[in-house]
Amino acid sequence: MLPKYSCVRWALDLSQWRPTLAELSLATACLQAEEKARLMKFYFRDDFDASLIGRLLMRKFVRDTTGIAYDQIRFERDGRGKPFLVNSVLGPCRIDFNVSHQGNYSVLAGIVERSIADEPPVKIGIDVMKIEYSGGKPLTEFFRLMTRNFSDAEWRFIRSRQSEAEQLKAFMRFWCLKESYVKNVGVGITMNLQKISFKVKTDDVAKGKVVQDTVLEVDGNLLTNWCFEEHLLDEQHSVAIAFENLGKMADEGTFKVLGYEELMEGALPLMEKDNSYCQRVLEKQYKRFQ
């Protein structure tokens, strides 16, 4: 018997991907027209690449988990701009997914539910952050400016770390958790983040280990219908996944890092390849990975 839930966690290292014109022409032909137009608005090439990979991760996830033909998959955006599959309820199954990109990675987390009768849908949010600070000010001053974004309990944990590097890692850990939550509920980080307070039971997140015992309080109330996962893709990239209505964690899987060839296996173009469009993309400048 198949488990009630199954979860996918994928990442692609953008710093290892420098597409040829042929690769870029195929990749952009596998997008919907409005997605392709939206991507061209990015000024920097690495933002373009990261968003492109995010869209392709979504298509691969839907194709692999639902059996919908690649060129029949259709995404739209809700009122908050979050992409969703037009038909996310498929017979006895239901899916949800979310993407994020920052630093060297684009990431996707997706979940498949089975036996969904009369149960609220499981919703998912994900965030990835590069563990770095390049703001110019001392880290203590940066923390002071960010005071209202964390609860007193979170700041106590951050400042209890022994070095600035460990404090920054803890800061990014909480920031990832908060972003995964607000992306799931769709309110953005305009809400009062001090009211969102995470309680960590595992002191540190290590590569190859999954932390699943962190809990959330909002306005002092424990949210029992939420579960969180924390991952370290490498020593510089932290990831958090927020699950609503899951009940218990689907599994203890770690992230699978895909290459471009695996991402595009079985991909089918939705439109004609456009070398003129891709030449304009290739003229965009990178702001990192130099």
Side-chain angles (χ1 to χ4, degrees):
M1 178 182 295
L2 291 172
K4 184 175 181 180
Y5 303 110
S6 58
C7 189
V8 163
R9 306 162 186 85
W10 289 334
L12 190 141
D13 186 349
L14 299 162
S15 68
Q16 301 300 310
W17 187 55
R18 287 292 182 271
T20 64
L21 177 60
E23 289 175 336
L24 195 61
S25 294
L26 174 60
T28 54
C30 292
L31 301 177
Q32 295 167 200
E34 64 273 17
E35 294 175 316
K36 182 178 169 183
R38 181 186 293 263
L39 286 180
M40 185 54 82
K41 295 178 182 179
F42 285 112
Y43 182 81
F44 287 110
R45 175 68 187 282
D46 34 358
D47 293 328
F48 179 98
D49 289 353
S51 291
L52 169 60
I53 293 298
R55 303 284 81 76
L56 295 173
L57 285 168
M58 287 163 40
R59 302 196 77 83
K60 176 177 172 59
F61 169 71
V62 172
R63 192 273 311 277
D64 286 3
T65 58
T66 69
I68 299 175
Y70 196 93
D71 54 355
Q72 297 301 309
I73 296 167
R74 178 73 188 178
F75 297 113
E76 292 184 1
R77 291 179 180 264
D78 63 20
R80 298 177 295 269
K82 182 179 178 180
F84 66 93
L85 181 64
V86 171
N87 182 11
S88 61
V89 179
L90 306 148
C93 296
R94 185 164 53 196
I95 70 169
D96 195 36
F97 55 88
N98 196 217
V99 296
S100 179
H101 57 83
Q102 208 269 333
N104 291 16
Y105 288 93
S106 282
V107 296
L108 173 141
I111 193 162
V112 180
E113 299 178 73
R114 303 175 182 89
S115 304
I116 61 176
D118 301 322
E119 294 184 8
V122 175
K123 304 298 290 181
I124 197 167
I126 188 172
D127 190 61
V128 58
M129 288 295 298
K130 188 171 184 181
I131 305 169
E132 67 175 359
Y133 173 65
S134 56
K137 300 182 186 338
L139 190 63
T140 52
E141 175 63 9
F142 172 66
F143 283 173
R144 186 189 69 79
L145 295 172
M146 296 294 288
T147 296
R148 63 181 181 178
N149 292 311
F150 295 89
S151 68
D152 290 342
E154 289 169 334
W155 278 120
R156 282 195 295 273
F157 182 87
I158 292 169
R159 292 190 169 109
S160 72
R161 306 297 90 188
Q162 295 301 306
S163 67
E164 284 198 347
E166 291 173 338
Q167 289 180 7
L168 181 62
K169 184 178 179 182
F171 177 95
M172 292 302 183
R173 179 182 181 183
F174 282 121
W175 192 259
C176 258
L177 285 163
K178 287 175 188 276
E179 282 272 19
S180 71
Y181 172 73
V182 299
K183 284 183 67 180
N184 190 319
V185 298
V187 296
I189 57 173
T190 55
M191 68 185 303
N192 187 343
L193 296 183
Q194 280 188 319
K195 295 183 177 181
I196 305 169
S197 185
F198 285 90
K199 310 292 184 182
V200 297
K201 300 178 182 179
T202 301
D203 269 0
D204 198 21
V205 184
K207 183 179 178 181
K209 303 292 183 181
V210 185
V211 173
Q212 297 182 324
D213 56 4
T214 296
V215 297
L216 172 63
E217 292 182 358
V218 176
D219 285 331
N221 299 309
L222 181 67
L223 299 192
T224 57
N225 62 325
W226 285 80
C227 302
F228 297 88
E229 277 188 3
E230 298 179 76
H231 301 258
L232 202 64
L233 293 177
D234 57 31
E235 292 305 315
Q236 290 187 300
H237 292 84
S238 178
V239 180
I241 307 174
F243 300 90
E244 183 183 14
N245 300 322
L246 184 58
K248 64 178 181 178
M249 300 309 301
D251 53 50
E252 295 185 355
T254 56
F255 268 82
K256 179 179 182 181
V257 179
L258 306 179
Y260 173 76
E261 292 77 14
E262 187 173 6
L263 174 65
M264 296 301 292
E265 185 177 352
L268 295 173
L270 280 64
M271 64 184 78
E272 293 293 325
K273 296 178 182 178
D274 187 345
N275 283 348
S276 175
Y277 174 96
C278 293
Q279 288 287 4
R280 285 185 287 143
V281 173
L282 293 173
E283 293 170 3
K284 293 179 181 287
Q285 298 297 309
Y286 285 98
K287 59 185 175 184
R288 50 182 178 263
F289 308 148
Q290 300 302 319

